[in-house]
Amino acid sequence: RLESEVIRDAMLATSGKLNSSMGGQPVPLKYRRDGVASFDMEKLATPGSNWRRSVYLFQRRVYHLTVQGVFDQPTIAGSVCRRNASAVALQSLSMLNDSLALEQAEHFAKRVWENSGQSSTERIELSFRIALSRAPDSQETQWSSELLRQHADRYQAKGSSAEQANRQALMHLCRVLFNSSEFLYVE
């Protein structure tokens, strides 16, 4: 499985938000007593510097961004010769519900929406090409089409326009791709 930092960076790259600027000050985080870390938006050097590579995140011993903590980012309180690599349900839940994953899935969907044709098949193909560097097979296209249709129908039933419903449905496909083994593991 990819390391926690690489997973975060891969989501940023896929969404088109990765800030690849090198050097400079670390990205400031703020910490709560319960161990939750988040970006300190008031202390960012520039807007968008929170999307810099994970190597630039300011680290404190046991405080990590949620998505990095559940993917076994080691604490820096001592030496670590080898990283743990667990596979637990919390990892899947984080990739589906963590604020970082949700935000990047929305940006990814927007990127696909703006760069693909009007058909759902073209959107599915571009999503797979960006996230997994390959075209979907026929079964994946069928499943993805069904996912888009079901979510679009649900959003339209709640009062969204057809375009809004299709955009929101695309975000769900992007979340699924982020959570796929092919995105999280290297063969």
Side-chain angles (χ1 to χ4, degrees):
R1 191 193 67 223
L2 298 174
E3 293 88 5
S4 60
E5 298 90 348
V6 179
I7 291 170
R8 177 181 176 272
D9 292 353
M11 283 193 294
L12 294 174
T14 302
S15 71
K17 292 296 179 182
L18 181 66
N19 176 344
S20 60
S21 62
M22 295 176 61
Q25 295 186 2
V27 179
L29 299 176
K30 58 184 175 183
Y31 312 95
R32 294 190 336 210
R33 289 184 182 263
D34 62 0
V36 174
S38 60
F39 296 108
D40 193 341
M41 301 305 276
E42 296 171 5
K43 294 182 181 176
L44 290 178
T46 61
S49 62
N50 55 320
W51 304 135
R52 293 183 73 201
R53 291 183 47 225
S54 297
V55 71
Y56 292 107
L57 295 179
F58 185 81
Q59 298 291 328
R60 286 186 59 197
R61 295 177 188 241
V62 293
Y63 296 102
H64 305 293
L65 294 175
T66 303
V67 75
Q68 291 183 302
V70 299
F71 282 100
D72 305 313
Q73 183 174 12
T75 61
I76 56 175
S79 297
V80 177
C81 297
R82 185 161 135 207
R83 288 182 180 226
N84 293 330
S86 64
V88 295
L90 189 55
Q91 293 165 344
S92 295
L93 291 171
S94 292
M95 290 300 286
L96 289 171
N97 300 306
D98 183 70
S99 60
L100 174 74
L102 291 172
E103 185 175 20
Q104 294 314 306
E106 287 176 14
H107 291 303
F108 180 21
K110 182 179 179 190
R111 178 182 180 191
V112 170
W113 186 269
E114 292 172 351
N115 293 299
S116 67
Q118 297 297 313
S119 76
S120 63
T121 304
E122 290 172 309
R123 291 183 189 126
I124 292 166
E125 183 166 329
L126 183 58
S127 298
F128 271 75
R129 287 204 181 276
I130 292 172
L132 307 178
S133 300
R134 66 170 179 84
D137 64 28
S138 59
Q139 189 172 37
E140 289 169 330
T141 301
Q142 180 184 354
W143 289 340
S144 298
S145 295
E146 183 63 21
L147 180 140
L148 291 175
R149 188 190 60 73
Q150 287 178 0
H151 281 287
D153 289 348
R154 190 174 56 162
Y155 283 116
Q156 281 185 304
K158 291 182 179 181
S160 294
S161 69
E163 182 178 331
Q164 287 175 325
N166 287 327
R167 280 178 176 254
Q168 291 171 310
L170 184 57
M171 188 271 300
H172 290 284
L173 175 62
C174 293
R175 286 172 60 199
V176 168
L177 291 174
F178 278 163
N179 206 33
S180 68
S181 290
E182 198 169 341
F183 187 82
L184 298 171
Y185 291 81
V186 175
E187 290 187 21

